[in-house]
Each structure stands twice: as C-alpha cells, then as structure tokens.
Amino acid sequence: MIEAPVSRMSAGVSALTVAFVPKALNSPFWAAMEAAALQEAEASGVRLVALAADRETDVERQYQIIENLIQQDVDAILLAPSGSKELVPAIRKANDAGIPVLLIDTRIDEAAAQAVGAQVLTYIGSDNFEGGAVAGRYLASALGGSGDVAIIEGISGHETADQRRLGFLQEIQGHPGIRVVASQTANWERALAYDVAENILQAHPDLDAMFAANDEMALGALEAIAAAQRLDEVSVIGFDAIPGALENIRSGRLLGSVAQFPSEMGRLGVAHAVAFLREGRRPPAEVLTKVELIDLANLEAFEQATGSITPATEYP
C-alpha cells in the first residue's frame, strides 16, 4: 500500500472537515457506516460531510463527487470506491491537492494506482477473500460435502466482488462433491438478483444452494426461490448481515450471512483521519475488521453484541 502525502497538521488549528463517500447510502450497510462515522466525528469535534451516488454502479457520479470535494478543499476523504480502477485518477487528483484518502470497505487496483502515482493512506475494511471463504466452508458443511451450488456475484472486475467470489470458490474446490453450476452478476442489486436467481432456478432444477455476495442480492434470490416454491429445496447464504437478512435467518428462510462490521469501518475511518490530520499519526497500511458467519445458532448473540445505530438522514 502506498502512503499518502504528509499530514495537513496545520488544519488542526481550525475545524476539520472529513468527507465520507460510500458507494451509496440507500442500504442498511452504508447507513450503519455513515451513522458510526457521524458519531465518531461529533465525538472528535470535526465536521462530517456524507455524499454518495444513488446507485452503487454509478462510478461517474462518484468521480464527480470527489472532484467537487477537492474543490471544496475538505481535509480528508473516506472513500469506498465504486470502481477499483475507475476511481484511481480521482484519488490522484486528491493527492495533488494534498488531501489524504482513506479507503473504506473496498480496495483500489494496485497496478492502476502505480500507473498514475495515486496514493492512499490506508485501507479499512473486511478481508473479503476470507469472508467468501467463510461462506464456502459453512455451505460445504451444511450440504454435507455434495450438491449443486450457484453464485450471485457483485460487479464483475471490482475488488470486493472478485475477492468474495474467489474466496468462496477456493473453499468449494476442496469438496469434489460440490459443483458450482452457475456464477452470474447482479450488480449488488436486489431486483436484478431476483431475475438472475429466477433464470438459474429454471436452468438448474436440482440446485441445492446459492451464495450471494451481498444481502441485497440474497434477499432478491430468496424472493425468486419463494416464487418458485422451492424454499425447502434451495438454501441461501448472503453477506453483510443487514437487518433484513437477520430477520430471514430468524424465520428460517435464509441459512446465514457473513457479517461485516460497517459501523466499525466508519468509526475507524474517522478516527484514523483525525489522528493523521491533527497529530501526523499514520495508520497501518491496512486495518482489517473481522468477518463472522451468522446463522440461527449465534444470531441472538450477534444482535446483542452489535446493538443498533439509527442512521443519520440530514446534518450540516
């Protein structure tokens, strides 16, 4: 990981503004991250500005947001890049303006970054490869080592989606009795996942399980499975442990979900940005937050441990 330019320690004299730019703000995952970032910002006495595109696939809009934040001369940017390669030039523009960029949840492509000299201060988020592997191990055990499985991917070519898929596949390859019969993208979206799952179910009448790379897609897949009256035949594992997924785990419709801890990502993002800006303290090149498979057995303990944060909707 390439380090960012020197700290803007002089900014500590006046109020700091930290920008939070997730891929979107229309899901519980990003809302929880935003709420925790705001909470940490308020505790640290800094101003948080949260801006996002309407859809996680709108790379161009996210690029424009970063350019606007550079024009506003914010003190730091917490970024979950919608495109691991496409956002690299925008990061370089922030570098040129002396604004440190901290990656949240999603890494950038190292080769693309080196090609243009783009630098980031740190990566804060889950080990997505390990998260996919966790899902693969659990599903292999649940299936007893044999069965037909499908993958509903995130955006192909993007680091988060690719790593979750590769981690899952690595674990599944250790079980010769399990066949991956389909792997298709649904771009992280519930409605598209419904259509993808519907097509997979029609093409593979003996399908035993699906792994969806996020819970929005898992919930879309569940709707398609329910419509096909195959809830008793096809198990689903998701990723993110959002409230809707947890309710479906409780009801028995969803087998499980790999929990990330978005609140911790938001909190740590602001904390490390402020420490760097005020004191010049550089965080490690990567700050990994844990992943954990949540199923009916540990659902209650997980909910008690994580609690709930009400997302902010408006603030200066």
Side-chain angles (χ1 to χ4, degrees), residues 31-243:
M33 193 183 298
E34 176 200 15
L38 174 61
Q39 194 173 73
E40 181 67 21
E42 291 176 339
S44 301
V46 302
R47 178 174 178 258
L48 187 77
V49 176
L51 296 168
D54 291 334
R55 299 180 66 189
E56 294 192 20
T57 54
D58 196 344
V59 177
E60 182 178 352
R61 175 57 183 149
Q62 192 180 55
Y63 198 113
Q64 293 170 349
I65 288 171
I66 295 172
E67 287 186 316
N68 290 338
L69 290 169
I70 293 170
Q71 291 296 318
Q72 295 172 32
D73 197 31
V74 298
D75 295 295
I77 297 174
L78 310 180
L79 172 66
S82 294
S84 299
K85 296 179 180 178
E86 296 90 337
L87 270 295
V88 166
I91 293 172
R92 175 56 197 264
K93 289 183 179 181
N95 296 159
D96 292 342
I99 300 172
V101 177
L102 297 83
L103 299 181
I104 306 289
D105 179 68
T106 302
R107 302 177 193 267
I108 54 172
D109 184 271
E110 285 290 335
Q114 291 177 3
V116 301
Q119 304 172 348
V120 298
L121 185 63
T122 187
Y123 164 76
I124 301 170
S126 305
D127 183 336
N128 284 295
F129 186 92
E130 175 59 20
V134 166
R137 285 194 291 272
Y138 186 88
L139 189 56
S141 176
L143 293 175
S146 66
D148 289 351
V149 175
I151 302 172
I152 301 183
E153 309 170 23
I155 300 172
S156 297
H158 288 194
E159 188 271 345
T160 298
D162 289 348
Q163 289 300 303
R164 291 179 187 177
R165 175 176 54 83
L166 291 171
F168 180 82
L169 286 173
Q170 176 174 282
E171 285 297 323
I172 292 300
Q173 287 169 1
H175 301 271
I178 297 179
R179 296 190 309 148
V180 177
V181 297
S183 187
Q184 298 180 32
T185 181
N187 290 342
W188 306 120
E189 297 176 1
R190 185 183 302 199
L192 183 54
Y194 180 97
D195 294 336
V196 169
E198 186 177 49
N199 292 335
I200 291 174
L201 289 167
Q202 290 174 357
H204 301 282
D206 295 326
L207 190 73
D208 296 295
M210 292 186 185
F211 166 56
N214 81 346
D215 280 339
E216 291 294 334
M217 297 189 298
L219 294 175
L222 275 180
E223 292 170 9
I225 294 168
Q229 298 184 339
R230 293 177 63 183
L231 284 173
D232 292 335
E233 304 170 18
V234 183
S235 300
V236 179
I237 288 184
F239 204 116
D240 288 338
I242 65 174

Side-chain angles (χ1 to χ4, degrees), residues 294-306:
I294 306 304
D295 63 5
L296 192 57
N298 64 357
L299 173 62
E300 184 176 350
F302 172 75
E303 290 181 318
Q304 290 176 350
T306 56

Side-chain angles (χ1 to χ4, degrees), residues 22-35:
K23 297 176 185 178
L25 282 170
N26 57 358
S27 78
F29 179 84
W30 300 114
M33 193 183 298
E34 176 200 15

